[in-house]
Amino acid sequence: MTGSTSGRIRTLLVANRGEIALRVFRTAARLGIRTVAVHTDLDAAAPHVRAADEAVRVGSYLDVDEVVAAAVSVGADAVHPGYGFLSERSAFASALEAAGVVLVGPSAAVMEQMGRKDLAREVAVAAGVPVVPSYALDADPGTLGYPVLVKAAAGGGGKGMRVVRSAAELAEARAAAAREAASAFGDDTLLVERYVERGRHIEVQVLGDTHGTVLAFGERDCSTQRRHQKVLEEAPAPTLDEATRAEVARAAVALAAQVGYVGAGTVELLLDADTGEFWFLEMNTRLQVEHPVTELVHDVDLVELQLLVADGGRLEGLGPFPARGHAIEARVYAEDAFGGFLPQAGRAELVRWPTGPGVRVDHALESGQVVSTAYDPMLGKVVVHGPDRESARRGLLRALDETAVTGLTTNTGFLRALVAGEEFRDATIDTAWLDRHELAAPAPDEARLFAAWTAAHLLTPAATGEPHPFQADGWRLAGPPAPVLVELDRPVPVTDGRVGAAGTVDGVPFVAVSAERHVVVAQVEGRRRRAVVDARAHTVEVVLDGQRHVFTRPDVLADTGPDAGDGTVPAPMPGTVLDVRVAEGQQVAAGEVLGVMEAMKMEFALKAPYDGTVTAVEAVAGRQVPLGARLFEVTGTDLS
């Protein structure tokens, strides 16, 4: 990819963190541009900090003055904002301009205009782009055509949005949306628009330069959403005919040209699945989370083109960038999708990302890293490109099977179930489908087989005398030979824990084909299955089909007494101590509640690991504690 530039950008500061910072650094490094990271104290040792040529501490990623000062202090020629944080803040664009630093993005004026849904509607109308029919805020509620969508004029991300199905609901919905918008964006201005029951979210990637050229890089379908938050994205859109495909691209280019857009942006459209009509929704004045599907389908580096444009280069004459094949992206979040989608935090003990032909993973999570609640819960993006949609879908299923995080729960199992479903396979999911349907949580039965076999395997002396592949996890190698009764959440009989042995687990035929590097491949009732197993001193975690299952080992201390553990009861995640129920010197029984803490709006009971005496109480009610902080210590008592 080539273009005419002035060569002004020699040092680039990325005003972001995580996977997007790493992604921008990769392109910058390939182009020979010096890279600079910013970081908070919490992120001092984060992957994006280590990947940069230089790093500068800031108190907050949202502090305009601090980030601009950091850019000036390192002599940055340009700043790439990524997405989120300051990426759509016009005040940030203005501050950089005043400091003589180039923003890799549009001007403050364009950002201000297109960042507001009400002003952006006016631009769309002027460009001849259809907009969703709307209603005046002071219109008689009884005259509206329900359902309607009440939404914030400022900001995005699904905040300040309410679907209203009757006149009786309108006042309350408006008040709630206004409160949420004011809290999130400092602006409670609302719009009331027609709500499309079976809408598809179509968006067009555009890129404009300072010389008047605007290019469109095909379209994406982001209809698989939950509460207006995207879950899966793909390119090209699977349900568009060629005439509509050409028309949405034309509309997006016309809109960008109307406002004099410079840089990468996304024009979001709503397509009525019943009528084929489409309307302008909003424009995102930045790079999108889902940009990798466009890059893979059109064989283009959008960050490179962003830097080209920011450097004054021309887009005219570049390309063409024809579509080839199909790409699908899944967003991996630290959340319990089968438990109310509650955010998760804690130490990611073991992290495995997929590899292979057609697989791209943009992430910033590695084994041993602590996931905090302070930032967005997205851990990474698993993207697969194939010659057609079905091959990409099947490839994504395989990639999600290989994706594993232990120590905290992710939504990978939910994503896998969604991609495997016939609705996604047939491209019939609309923007509200996930709000109308609930996916069933995977049963733990098959995962329990892997956990029990692994526990038995670790108790089976290796015939070769070599260490077992899971030995580093704290399991003891000495013990009774097979068959064994493994205590998990319930007793599970295992007839043979050797690799290659034709045994049974819980009465189910189970032949382990291989067991290495935490991966167990087995024939389960004649079906080949693969699981990632993380066996630790008190638990066995199994990730099967992307879903994490945790099994406790209540018997691991049974024959060793207090020497088997140090009796420390740590904070399972960052949170607040709510209650302390014991004192030093108090006798406690195994499983007795020592205290209670709250994290992520959930309460966690802190229990004694075994019978003994409380020898340390460091928990204080009302005090916030970090992950792993020692709260109690119990010294075991030999009751035999």
Side-chain angles (χ1 to χ4, degrees):
M1 189 184 306
T2 59
S4 174
T5 71
S6 64
R8 289 180 300 168
I9 301 179
R10 295 182 176 85
T11 298
L12 177 71
L13 182 143
V14 176
N16 219 296
R17 67 184 296 277
E19 57 86 18
I20 184 57
L22 288 171
R23 187 265 168 276
V24 175
F25 287 157
R26 285 194 296 271
T27 292
R30 179 171 58 79
L31 298 176
I33 297 173
R34 175 172 164 259
T35 56
V36 181
V38 291
H39 68 87
T40 60
D41 290 338
L42 196 61
D43 274 346
H48 79 278
V49 176
R50 302 199 306 269
D53 295 319
E54 188 174 345
V56 181
R57 180 198 172 278
V58 293
S60 168
Y61 294 107
L62 292 169
D63 191 315
V64 170
D65 293 337
E66 274 200 293
V67 175
V68 172
V72 171
S73 71
V74 298
D77 305 298
V79 170
H80 194 299
Y83 39 71
F85 291 134
L86 300 174
S87 62
E88 293 181 284
R89 291 272 297 274
S90 59
F92 183 52
S94 296
L96 285 173
E97 183 178 359
V101 181
V102 174
L103 173 68
V104 182
S107 67
V110 169
M111 205 178 283
E112 188 85 27
Q113 191 169 15
M114 300 311 292
R116 288 190 58 90
K117 297 179 180 67
D118 48 359
L119 299 181
R121 280 177 62 96
E122 297 174 5
V123 175
V125 170
V129 178
V131 296
V132 180
S134 65
Y135 303 92
L137 288 173
D138 59 357
D140 181 350
T143 65
L144 275 55
Y146 294 94
V148 299
L149 180 67
V150 176
K151 65 180 184 180
K159 294 182 175 64
M161 284 191 179
R162 296 291 187 280
V163 177
V164 183
R165 299 191 177 279
S166 70
E169 302 172 11
L170 184 61
E172 184 179 345
R174 284 185 54 176
R179 285 194 303 270
E180 191 170 294
S183 174
F185 317 122
D187 187 336
D188 63 359
T189 306
L190 299 176
L191 297 174
V192 180
E193 297 177 341
R194 170 184 167 187
Y195 178 68
V196 179
E197 291 281 9
R198 294 189 62 247
R200 298 194 71 89
H201 183 113
I202 307 297
E203 59 186 36
V204 181
Q205 177 71 62
V206 296
L207 197 78
D209 65 17
T210 56
H211 309 283
T213 298
V214 178
L215 301 179
F217 294 86
E219 81 291 330
R220 302 182 285 254
D221 188 312
C222 307
S223 300
T224 307
Q225 304 178 5
R226 178 183 173 273
R227 297 184 179 178
H228 310 291
Q229 294 288 320
K230 298 168 186 174
V231 178
L232 300 172
E233 303 101 345
E234 57 185 310
T239 59
L240 290 190
D241 57 53
E242 290 307 313
T244 305
R245 177 168 285 116
E247 185 60 20
V248 298
R250 184 209 64 77
V253 169
L255 182 78
Q258 176 71 29
V259 78
Y261 196 83
V262 175
T266 299
V267 177
E268 301 199 344
L269 305 161
L270 179 66
L271 177 78
D272 190 322
D274 294 324
T275 67
E277 297 176 275
F278 71 85
W279 301 278
F280 170 73
L281 282 177
E282 62 180 315
M283 185 174 190
N284 286 291
T285 55
R286 53 171 168 78
L287 198 65
Q288 291 281 85
V289 173
E290 58 272 22
H291 76 274
V293 296
T294 296
E295 293 187 322
L296 291 172
V297 167
H298 294 276
D299 192 23
V300 64
D301 185 332
L302 291 172
V303 173
E304 181 177 351
L305 288 180
Q306 282 186 292
L307 295 172
L308 171 73
V309 167
D311 209 20
R314 293 180 177 273
L315 295 173
E316 185 179 9
L318 293 185
F321 303 101
R324 56 178 189 88
H326 201 94
I328 309 174
E329 173 180 292
R331 301 186 182 194
V332 178
Y333 283 91
E335 66 180 13
D336 185 357
F338 296 112
F341 291 88
L342 290 175
Q344 303 292 295
R347 185 180 302 279
E349 299 291 353
L350 179 68
V351 178
R352 293 290 173 84
W353 295 106
T355 58
V359 177
R360 167 176 167 176
V361 181
D362 287 8
H363 76 90
L365 183 70
E366 54 196 24
S367 296
Q369 190 172 331
V370 174
V371 175
S372 168
T373 59
Y375 303 116
D376 187 274
M378 191 173 73
L379 304 176
K381 304 174 300 194
V382 177
V383 198
V384 174
H385 179 261
D388 52 50
R389 186 176 188 269
E390 182 58 14
S391 62
R393 188 186 72 89
R394 291 182 178 276
L396 183 56
L397 284 173
R398 289 190 294 271
L400 292 172
D401 284 342
E402 295 177 12
T403 303
V405 178
T406 69
L408 70 153
T409 298
T410 75
N411 68 333
T412 309
F414 174 82
L415 295 171
R416 206 262 182 208
L418 192 56
V419 175
E422 61 181 23
E423 292 83 3
F424 185 78
R425 181 198 65 196
D426 298 337
T428 60
I429 292 179
D430 58 68
T431 54
W433 189 89
L434 274 174
D435 297 328
R436 300 191 304 266
H437 297 81
E438 185 173 335
L439 299 185
D445 300 354
E446 193 172 11
R448 186 183 293 109
L449 304 181
F450 280 89
W453 180 88
T454 302
H457 177 65
L458 294 171
L459 293 169
T460 303
T464 62
E466 294 295 320
H468 282 289
F470 300 97
Q471 184 176 357
D473 293 321
W475 291 84
R476 292 167 289 104
L477 295 181
V484 297
L485 189 66
V486 176
E487 290 285 347
L488 295 175
D489 53 342
R490 63 173 175 78
V492 182
V494 181
T495 60
D496 201 322
R498 295 172 299 170
V499 173
T504 63
V505 180
D506 211 17
V508 176
F510 190 102
V511 181
V513 177
S514 62
E516 56 184 355
R517 298 188 65 248
H518 295 279
V519 177
V520 177
V521 178
Q523 294 285 342
V524 183
E525 294 186 294
R527 180 186 176 203
R528 191 177 182 90
R529 301 287 278 145
R530 176 189 184 279
V532 172
V533 185
D534 188 7
R536 310 189 72 79
H538 302 286
T539 61
V540 186
E541 295 192 30
V542 177
V543 180
L544 181 66
D545 294 336
Q547 183 64 27
R548 174 184 178 237
H549 302 269
V550 182
F551 302 95
T552 58
R553 282 276 290 160
D555 69 326
V556 293
L557 306 176
D559 62 352
T560 58
D563 293 334
D566 64 4
T568 297
V569 180
M573 62 176 58
T576 303
V577 176
L578 296 180
D579 188 19
V580 177
R581 300 184 182 178
V582 295
E584 288 188 21
Q586 184 173 331
Q587 296 293 309
V588 293
E592 184 174 338
V593 176
L594 309 177
V596 180
M597 67 175 290
E598 181 185 50
M600 310 300 294
K601 299 182 180 179
M602 297 176 64
E603 291 188 6
F604 297 86
L606 305 165
K607 300 179 181 180
Y610 37 72
D611 295 343
T613 303
V614 178
T615 51
V617 177
E618 298 184 18
V620 177
R623 179 175 295 174
Q624 290 188 333
V625 293
L627 169 73
R630 189 177 83 150
L631 301 179
F632 302 94
E633 184 175 284
V634 177
T635 299
T637 302
D638 187 356
L639 301 178
S640 59

